[in-house]
Amino acid sequence: MRKFKALIAVLTAAVLVFSLVGTAFAASAPSDVQGTKYEAAATKLMAYGISSGWGGGKFNPAGEVTRAQFSVLVVNELGLKAVAEALQGSDTQFKDVKGSYWASGAIQVATTKGIISGYGDGTFRPEQPITYMEAAILTVRALGYREADPNAHFIKAIELGLMANVDGKANQTAIRGNLAIILDNMLSKQIGEVNKDGVWTSTGKTPVDKLELNTGAIVNYVVQPGDAAAGSLTVSGTTYKLASNCYFVGAADLASAVGFTVNATLKAGEVIYIEVVNRPAQTKSGTIDSTGTDATGAYLLLKGDTTKYYKAASCTVVLNGGSADWANLAAGQEVTLSLDKDGKIYLVKASAFTVSEAQVSKVDTVNKAIYYNNDANWLVVADNAKLLRNGQQVTLGDIKAKDVIYLAVANVGGINKVTYAEAYYNQVTGVISAVKSVVGEVYPVITVDGKDYMRSKNPITANNDPKWDQMVVGKRIDVLLNKDGRMTVVNKVEDVPAATATGKVVTVGTKADGTKYVTLDVRGTNNSFDIASGGSVVDSVYLGKFITVTLDKDNKVTTFKDVNPNTLGLVTEVYPAQNTVVLSVEGTSTSYTVDTNTIISRNGSYTGFNSIAVNDGVQFYQESNKIVVLLADSCVVDTSKISATTDKLTGAAGAVEKGATVEVFSDAAMTTQVGSDVVASDDGSFQYAYGSSQASGTTLWVKVTDTQGFGGVQKFAVVVP
């Protein structure tokens, strides 16, 4: 691999799998871990700034994590993120992790501290998925232990409780959800050091201490109505403000947590994480049938339920998100009752919606109106209306088309206006694994990714819509949930696409039994696939080329297609948040997207999207503006070896890459060239004559193009001394 000395600053950004970018608003647990064993661990790591989610409000708990990504997470958990950032950009000891690699700084920290090591061939293999054995080794070493062999590290991880609640065998590829649990378990463990006699001694610090967090100030605290009104927690006379990026587990916000027992974490005196640890003895939800009073006290009845639910001596009533009195409760209101151990109501959360379970078609922020039911209906929104979206207070512009919405309407100045609204956009996508009948439910319960979903009693999609009937085991679905977490809108029901794999053909051949096979290099890991009976055979003409194979249920190749990069371009813009890159091809710029299946290589090493930089030359294969394979090449320039005089620009050996083209211009726009192009010699040296003498102090602009690679470019200015 060629030496790389990047002049362009490379952002230390996160890859898709464990993004390291924090959010800027109060947030609930990612939707795809809510109600699972991963919920608290995943959300806590996000709140603590160790990691973030997959994007779109999800965590992707079943996804893989690479060695580089887990190294970053462990380094972050030890409070060493700033150190890693300071080292970012300098080459590591590994030949496949140059300074330009997005996680080079964290890898240097992890290797220097003996947390992780490379392989005997001098590689680190940063894009290789991590196993539970490797995760155990990293976390145990991060706590200061140095065991004799990998198995001893794994046993020590079990002894320390790091593997508690984790399912997976040592040499299996680890999934994100379980790794989050391991890192969560590590947070409270003592960090130590091994002395010269091999004895481990605690330093008295834990990762929580290293992150400067306080997990002991708010423990087993019952959230009060006044806390919700103030947006802060007042414990033992001390008020703690909620940080702008406070995360919640078990509740959407403080108002939703009133009456619940919580633990909280502080950073710099602000609350960054709240977890509900003790819910009411029982909750009941339904629609009020009637209210009344008898000799026992005030009570209410729910439709379809003959039980009288009596008011406790102290009872909080929240109606449409605001404080209310018991007398404000009325028939037809939807309520959730929190009951104490005696079965009495101590908290009522009530909603009186005029429009219940509709779908937003558009929002008019100019005229302050919400349209719903395909624009068939609309309502003006009052100036002081309280609007919530997924449990967070928002403005009208934050409510989006397709949201499932509930509207409370009142007469304001002679006009019926929305005074309170709850909007929800909770999407469930996945493959149906079970369809089962449940007592008390008219419609079957659908199981997706291990979680059960009931159908709304009044779905927005018509009851006779065939999509409901198409929900059978094995189908991939895309649905929206209502406020109660029930399926209400069916966006899509479809067959699961056939499995595919993309990689570079390494070998093709025939086994002893006559079975033909192909071996693909998939991001640095060789995977062999047998050819199915009657399937398309990959022959030797494809050796060294990229192909995508389609696999049957037995993981055998049925068909394949050539996806070898065939187009040259130059990176002009990169948008990591959107996974989008803008490429200039023959003077025309086009935006292309990548996804988790895209094969990406830069300077000969497999890498992630965030390592791609402006002015990289690329060769790529794309379908419908989505890149399948992207090979990027930077232009190597060492400006310390380039000097200017009044007559020429000189590059010493190693200044640029072999065969690179050098051009010099008199203007920053690089339209007026001074002199003629020169090509660097085999040792990277060159001499560029301006053609006419340049005055001392003149600024010249230099463009170097890597003609040996894919046309990567470097641009910089020099001043004639």
Side-chain angles (χ1 to χ4, degrees), residues 476-537:
R476 184 184 296 277
I477 63 170
D478 177 353
V479 300
L480 299 180
L481 307 181
N482 67 8
K483 68 191 295 288
D484 301 317
R486 289 173 172 255
M487 294 181 172
T488 187
V489 177
V490 180
N491 293 324
K492 187 182 297 183
V493 179
E494 62 185 2
D495 292 328
V496 177
T500 62
T502 299
K504 184 187 294 184
V505 178
V506 178
T507 58
V508 296
T510 305
K511 295 182 177 180
D513 63 1
T515 302
K516 294 188 179 297
Y517 69 92
V518 59
T519 302
L520 300 182
D521 171 3
V522 182
R523 297 185 181 87
T525 301
N526 286 352
N527 295 268
S528 289
F529 302 96
D530 289 349
I531 308 298
S533 176
S536 301
V537 177

Side-chain angles (χ1 to χ4, degrees), residues 274-589:
I274 295 176
E275 181 179 348
V276 174
V277 293
N278 186 20
R279 294 179 175 278
Q282 186 182 8
T283 61
K284 296 291 292 187
S285 296
T287 303
I288 296 178
D289 184 69
S290 63
T291 62
T293 304
D294 60 17
T296 304
Y299 67 87
L300 58 78
L301 289 170
L302 300 179
K303 288 183 178 180
D305 189 343
T306 59
T307 303
K308 287 184 177 181
Y309 296 99
Y310 286 94
K311 175 186 175 186
S314 176
C315 179
T316 299
V317 178
V318 179
L319 176 61
N320 289 347
S323 297
D325 297 322
W326 182 270
N328 297 124
L329 299 176
Q333 294 175 354
E334 297 178 24
V335 294
T336 297
L337 311 177
S338 297
L339 310 178
D340 62 21
K341 60 183 177 61
D342 298 319
K344 292 190 174 182
I345 306 168
Y346 72 87
L347 172 66
V348 182
K349 295 181 181 179
S351 302
F353 295 116
T354 309
V355 176
S356 184
E357 203 161 326
Q359 189 170 33
V360 177
S361 50
K362 68 180 179 183
V363 175
D364 184 347
T365 56
V366 176
N367 296 303
K368 297 183 179 179
I370 295 175
Y371 289 75
Y372 56 97
N373 295 344
N374 295 320
D375 290 354
N377 305 93
W378 60 276
L379 285 166
V380 175
V381 179
D383 290 339
N384 60 348
K386 183 175 182 179
L387 309 176
L388 302 180
R389 187 173 192 266
N390 289 345
Q392 307 297 322
Q393 189 159 347
V394 296
T395 62
L396 181 59
D398 296 315
I399 295 176
K400 306 299 182 185
K402 297 187 178 181
D403 283 356
V404 178
I405 200 161
Y406 301 76
L407 305 171
V409 179
N411 190 291
V412 180
I415 301 175
N416 286 334
K417 294 185 178 182
V418 175
T419 55
Y420 176 74
E422 293 182 15
Y424 297 86
Y425 191 85
N426 293 323
Q427 185 180 28
V428 173
T429 59
V431 178
I432 297 175
S433 57
V435 178
K436 53 195 176 186
S437 298
V438 175
V439 175
E441 290 295 320
V442 177
Y443 301 105
V445 172
I446 307 295
T447 304
V448 180
D449 294 334
K451 188 172 181 179
D452 289 342
Y453 296 93
M454 293 180 287
R455 178 176 170 180
S456 170
K457 296 176 182 178
N458 299 291
I460 294 173
T461 306
N463 289 342
N464 61 357
D465 191 310
K467 288 178 181 175
W468 291 105
D469 298 331
Q470 293 169 5
M471 286 192 178
V472 296
V473 173
K475 292 285 188 179
R476 184 184 296 277
I477 63 170
D478 177 353
V479 300
L480 299 180
L481 307 181
N482 67 8
K483 68 191 295 288
D484 301 317
R486 289 173 172 255
M487 294 181 172
T488 187
V489 177
V490 180
N491 293 324
K492 187 182 297 183
V493 179
E494 62 185 2
D495 292 328
V496 177
T500 62
T502 299
K504 184 187 294 184
V505 178
V506 178
T507 58
V508 296
T510 305
K511 295 182 177 180
D513 63 1
T515 302
K516 294 188 179 297
Y517 69 92
V518 59
T519 302
L520 300 182
D521 171 3
V522 182
R523 297 185 181 87
T525 301
N526 286 352
N527 295 268
S528 289
F529 302 96
D530 289 349
I531 308 298
S533 176
S536 301
V537 177
V538 183
D539 57 37
S540 59
V541 72
Y542 288 99
L543 287 172
K545 293 186 176 181
F546 286 89
I547 65 171
T548 295
V549 295
T550 301
L551 308 172
D552 63 14
K553 61 182 180 59
D554 298 319
N555 221 34
K556 293 183 177 181
V557 176
T558 55
T559 60
F560 74 92
K561 61 181 176 181
D562 186 347
V563 295
N564 206 55
N566 54 12
T567 305
L568 290 175
L570 184 71
V571 178
T572 57
E573 296 175 83
V574 178
Y575 299 100
Q578 290 79 35
N579 303 324
T580 301
V581 60
V582 180
L583 304 179
S584 176
V585 179
E586 295 182 351
T588 301
S589 292

Side-chain angles (χ1 to χ4, degrees), residues 10-14 20-21 72 81 84-85 88-89 101-106 610:
V10 179
L11 296 175
T12 307
L20 306 176
V21 181
V72 172
K81 183 186 293 187
E85 290 174 348
Q88 182 64 33
Y101 186 68
W102 73 272
S104 64
N610 291 288

